[in-house]
């Protein structure tokens, strides 16, 4: 069995700020923990850093 993790989010998903010094955001850390437990995990990190707003 394999898992494909798709992450959506802001800078915490990308790893900007506090997580940057540790090498990525929470999706990378989650995937590496699951891989360490023997589960094959694919990761698609679709997080976007920075403010986003609609222009009307």
């Amino acid at each position: 069995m394999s898992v494909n993790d798709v992450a959506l989010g802001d800078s915490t998903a990308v790893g900007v700020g506090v997580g940057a010094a540790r090498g990525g955001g929470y999706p990378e850390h989650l995937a590496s923990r699951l891989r360490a437990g023997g589960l094959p995990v694919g990761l698609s990190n679709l997080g976007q850093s920075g403010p986003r707003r609609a222009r009307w």
Side-chain angles (χ1 to χ4, degrees):
M1 177 176 83
S2 65
V3 173
N4 187 27
D5 181 22
V6 177
L8 303 173
D10 57 8
S11 58
T12 58
V14 177
V16 174
V18 176
R22 293 189 308 247
Y26 73 87
E28 287 83 7
H29 291 285
L30 175 61
S32 66
R33 298 274 312 257
L34 292 171
R35 288 181 190 124
L39 184 65
V41 175
L43 175 62
S44 298
N45 189 347
L46 304 177
Q48 292 290 317
S49 178
R52 302 283 186 262
R53 66 180 183 96
R55 295 181 182 233
W56 300 95

